[in-house]
Amino acid sequence: MISRHKSPLPPFVKGGRHQYVGGILPLRHSVTAIWLIAAGLQSAPILPAEAAESYPSRPVRMIIPSGAGGITDILGRVIAPKLGESLGQQVVVDNRPGASGIVGSQIVAKAAPDGYTLLMVFPSHPVNASLYPEIPYDTVKAFAPITLVSAVSPVLIVASQFPAKSVPELIAIAKEKPGQLNHGSVGGSSMGHLGAELFRSMAGIRITLVTYKGAPQVLTALLSGEVQFYLIGSAGTAATHVKAGRVRALGVGAKQRIAALPDVPSIADTLPGYEARGWNGVLAPAGTPRPVIERLNREIVKVVRSPEFNQILVSEGATSVGNTPAEFDAVIRADVKKWAKIIKEAGIRAE
């Protein structure tokens, strides 16, 4: 049976609310009001365009909503100094882990929209919108996308002795033995679990989820036959085990083949439209001036497409992206919608 665990919602810090009450000025005050508005505009310290021209005039903070040592932290710490060099100001990394990235994300959502507070997000960002019913910000509206930094494809693997040698063969076996194939997972909101649930839904099969503490435990269970397949989140780790002959890779979650496993087809070749991938990207608070977003996009994309950055990604089985703010926005919106459907259909709860 599929084990579900429900836990209380993380103790979010409730932000203050501001209310503006407007009215209609009497006619006799209209001229005075117009004069005051004009005078206020003339004396405003910095308009958005002017702010963009002088940006940045002080250090920039990059919030990493996870602990030190993970791939998001590693990539953020590679980007920060390079970005600082191009901006002419220090970019300081600030780790704020907690509640699957919500703690750090909330800080940025409430920050001033001036380009001095950035957020390096990972796949849980669009997932949290459905996993937590009272998330303290709007996943789409509270942020201004800058660029998608990297993408990593999960890989569908089976033990080398398992009879299926392709995705169609795995689906055929699952249909012959409904509910008898076990899928290993490291958690209810992991990309491996969500991707497996998407696979189950699109393939029209019944599977049983078995949850473990971490990837090493799932791999041990796979090799012992305790579970029959595993959508592993790290293509780099999958490639290592494939080359050693311990496991067989049947398909990748990306729409196209990946460099880490060039001979392995996409799951979408069998299930058109299937896509499950992890990613990292940079956001700013909503309302950040467009010229500031555009400059940050140019500078970060330059870092992301550098040979040094790509070398790090290759070792992790990932690929660089570096797209436009509009393209990154489309990715977030699509993932929010896709995973909301899967989370509701599978009855997934926060652990």
Side-chain angles (χ1 to χ4, degrees), residues 47-115:
L47 294 176
E50 296 170 353
E53 290 178 3
S54 62
Y55 173 84
S57 58
R58 53 188 170 85
V60 175
R61 180 170 61 150
M62 178 179 285
I63 299 289
I64 307 290
S66 61
I71 184 60
T72 303
D73 178 65
I74 291 171
L75 297 183
R77 291 181 182 278
V78 172
I79 291 173
K82 297 292 184 181
L83 178 60
E85 290 176 10
S86 61
L87 294 178
Q89 289 287 345
Q90 185 179 14
V91 176
V92 181
V93 171
D94 185 0
N95 291 88
R96 294 299 184 95
S100 192
I102 294 175
V103 171
S105 297
Q106 184 182 10
I107 294 172
V108 179
K110 304 294 183 182
D114 52 14

Side-chain angles (χ1 to χ4, degrees), residues 178-195:
Q180 295 182 43
L181 292 192
N182 295 332
H183 170 259
S185 173
V186 295
S189 61
S190 68
M191 186 52 57
H193 178 202
L194 292 173

Side-chain angles (χ1 to χ4, degrees), residues 8 10 21 25 36 46 63-64 76 78 83 109 141 155 166 173 187 189 207 228 233 260-261 288 312 330 332 336-337:
V21 180
L25 287 173
L36 288 172
I46 300 181
I63 299 289
I64 307 290
V78 172
L83 178 60
K141 297 179 180 179
V155 182
S166 67
I173 293 173
S189 61
I207 59 176
Q228 283 67 53
L261 293 163
T288 301
I312 294 173
I332 295 172
V336 167
K337 183 177 180 180

Side-chain angles (χ1 to χ4, degrees), residues 254-274:
K255 288 183 177 180
Q256 296 85 26
R257 299 190 181 210
I258 60 175
L261 293 163
D263 297 327
V264 179
S266 170
I267 294 173
D269 291 351
T270 301
L271 302 175
Y274 181 92

Side-chain angles (χ1 to χ4, degrees), residues 130 338-349:
S130 298
K338 174 170 62 181
W339 299 129
K341 179 179 181 295
I342 292 300
I343 288 169
K344 182 178 180 180
E345 180 183 308
I348 299 173
R349 305 291 183 187

Side-chain angles (χ1 to χ4, degrees), residues 3-350:
S3 176
R4 309 293 183 197
H5 303 279
K6 185 175 182 181
S7 63
L9 191 67
F12 301 126
V13 178
K14 301 295 183 182
R17 296 181 179 272
H18 300 279
Q19 185 177 19
Y20 175 77
V21 180
I24 301 176
L25 287 173
L27 181 61
R28 65 178 178 276
H29 296 311
S30 60
V31 175
T32 302
I34 293 171
W35 181 86
L36 288 172
I37 292 171
L41 289 174
Q42 291 176 355
S43 61
I46 300 181
L47 294 176
E50 296 170 353
E53 290 178 3
S54 62
Y55 173 84
S57 58
R58 53 188 170 85
V60 175
R61 180 170 61 150
M62 178 179 285
I63 299 289
I64 307 290
S66 61
I71 184 60
T72 303
D73 178 65
I74 291 171
L75 297 183
R77 291 181 182 278
V78 172
I79 291 173
K82 297 292 184 181
L83 178 60
E85 290 176 10
S86 61
L87 294 178
Q89 289 287 345
Q90 185 179 14
V91 176
V92 181
V93 171
D94 185 0
N95 291 88
R96 294 299 184 95
S100 192
I102 294 175
V103 171
S105 297
Q106 184 182 10
I107 294 172
V108 179
K110 304 294 183 182
D114 52 14
Y116 289 95
T117 307
L118 306 178
L119 177 67
M120 182 78 161
V121 288
F122 45 92
S124 67
H125 182 71
V127 172
N128 288 338
S130 298
L131 207 56
Y132 296 101
E134 297 181 7
I135 193 168
Y137 52 79
D138 188 297
T139 301
V140 173
K141 297 179 180 179
F143 304 95
I146 296 174
T147 187
L148 194 62
V149 168
S150 64
V152 60
S153 172
V155 182
L156 183 62
I157 59 175
V158 297
S160 57
Q161 67 270 22
F162 190 74
K165 293 180 171 58
S166 67
V167 171
E169 288 182 11
L170 176 63
I171 293 174
I173 293 173
K175 288 185 176 180
E176 289 173 3
K177 303 177 179 180
Q180 295 182 43
L181 292 192
N182 295 332
H183 170 259
S185 173
V186 295
S189 61
S190 68
M191 186 52 57
H193 178 202
L194 292 173
E197 292 287 9
L198 179 63
F199 178 78
R200 172 200 56 75
S201 177
M202 294 183 69
I205 58 176
R206 285 174 52 200
I207 59 176
T208 300
L209 173 72
V210 183
T211 303
Y212 297 86
K213 291 183 178 180
Q217 288 79 14
V218 183
L219 285 166
T220 298
L222 183 73
L223 296 176
S224 68
E226 188 173 314
V227 299
Q228 283 67 53
F229 70 105
Y230 175 31
L231 192 67
I232 185 171
S234 171
T237 301
T240 298
H241 289 288
V242 168
K243 291 175 182 177
R246 289 187 287 270
V247 304
R248 182 185 302 119
L250 304 186
V252 299
K255 288 183 177 180
Q256 296 85 26
R257 299 190 181 210
I258 60 175
L261 293 163
D263 297 327
V264 179
S266 170
I267 294 173
D269 291 351
T270 301
L271 302 175
Y274 181 92
E275 183 179 24
R277 63 174 181 169
W279 48 258
N280 288 102
V282 184
L283 305 172
T288 301
R290 177 53 53 181
V292 171
I293 294 294
E294 290 174 349
R295 183 176 181 194
L296 286 168
N297 175 268
R298 289 194 303 271
E299 303 300 348
I300 295 175
V301 168
K302 190 188 305 180
V303 176
V304 168
R305 294 180 179 176
S306 67
E308 297 86 352
F309 193 79
N310 274 275
Q311 186 174 359
I312 294 173
L313 293 179
V314 168
S315 66
E316 296 291 336
T319 57
S320 63
V321 182
N323 58 5
T324 67
E327 289 169 336
F328 186 22
D329 180 63
V331 169
I332 295 172
R333 290 174 184 271
D335 276 9
V336 167
K337 183 177 180 180
K338 174 170 62 181
W339 299 129
K341 179 179 181 295
I342 292 300
I343 288 169
K344 182 178 180 180
E345 180 183 308
I348 299 173
R349 305 291 183 187

